[in-house]
Amino acid sequence: MSTTWHVLGAGSLGTLWATRLARAGLPVRLILRDTARLQAYEMAGGLTLVEHGEAQLYPVPAETPDGIEPINRLLVACKAYDAEKAVEQLAPRLSPGAELILLQNGLGSQDAVAAQVPQARCIYASSTEGAFRDSDWRVVFAGHGFTWLGDAGHPVAPIWLDDLSAAGIPHEWSTEILTRLWRKLALNCAINPLTVLHDCRNGGLLEHHCEVATLCGELTELLERCGQPAAAENLQQEVERVILATAANYSSMYQDVSNRRRTEISYLLGYACKASDRHQLNLPHLNQLQQRLIARLLSLGLPSD
Ligand code: NAD
Ligand code: KPL
């Protein structure tokens, strides 16, 4: 009998994972915030995934956090700023040796979750898949991509990666997951805040080449000082490549701001600036970028953390 996949957070990525796992015949249970959300979900009859323009309904069973079934495998699919609290309420249900898969972007939230559940194995993930909610319980699979998973403290891959293969979730076990997360954080710091500040698509940053290059220089210094030289390699070239490859897209932070949603700034630029302070680095442009972004968020009436 396969181990049940408990999925915490039925948003974009949670739905994308839950529906594909369920479609492969694997046992999946959603964990929703409270009884009101559970009732609303039950009225909808399940999760809908829209793929290649076709919508399919998946009646994945759901429960609230105060269920009683022990949890052996938990996919944490909340935003970085919600992950620690969301996992905290499930801690009493985690079996000894439970495994958590943390899908959060940026850095900081994963360590906070892991510190809270020392009895569990925490696997960090970095994903380039893209999905968005177009209404409650309905998610559009917008960009095919790849997910790297890894455990910095324990390099052996878990057996359940076979479930991901069965579900058609493109993935790879990475023994260098922190390098991948740092690299993605640096890319996001070089691109996303500037798209908000210049109110543009990623391609609009081609007109701000010098500003991007200066930030890449400071981010490279930071990565090297943080013991991440591999994540620093040819950073500017990759940032320029991503800007060109995604020129027509709006960055995830731009989309959060334009939809008036809280951003993950504290786990991206905020994390980078804190790390630079810790290492007593002088990175004036990165610090200014954080101040400018905070000011912009506040002027829009959005949370600045
Ligand atoms: P989302 O906002 O669509 O979904 C998060 C869900 O978690 C929401 O439904 C929210 O209600 C739920 N949630 C929050 N606290 C909860 C709690 N205590 N109990 C139960 N549910 C709770 O977010 P998302 O876009 O799926 O992003 C999740 C993470 O994945 C983020 O860190 C994001 O940066 C990362 N990511 C997203 C994408 C994407 O395409 N959406 C791609 C790569 C990485
Ligand atoms: O990951 C991204 C995002 O928008 O969050 C890219 C496309 C790489 C831009 O930083």
Side-chain angles (χ1 to χ4, degrees), residues 105 127-128 184 186-192 195 202 242 246 249-255 268:
N105 201 13
S127 182
T128 59
K184 176 102 191 303
L187 279 165
N188 287 166
C189 286
I191 298 174
N192 299 11
T195 63
N202 293 353
V242 170
T246 62
N249 299 353
Y250 287 109
S251 76
S252 55
M253 187 177 275
Y254 183 99
Q255 292 177 44
L268 297 166

Side-chain angles (χ1 to χ4, degrees), residues 202-215:
N202 293 353
L205 299 186
L206 294 168
E207 286 170 34
H208 301 277
H209 177 265
C210 287
E211 206 175 1
V212 172
T214 307
L215 283 174

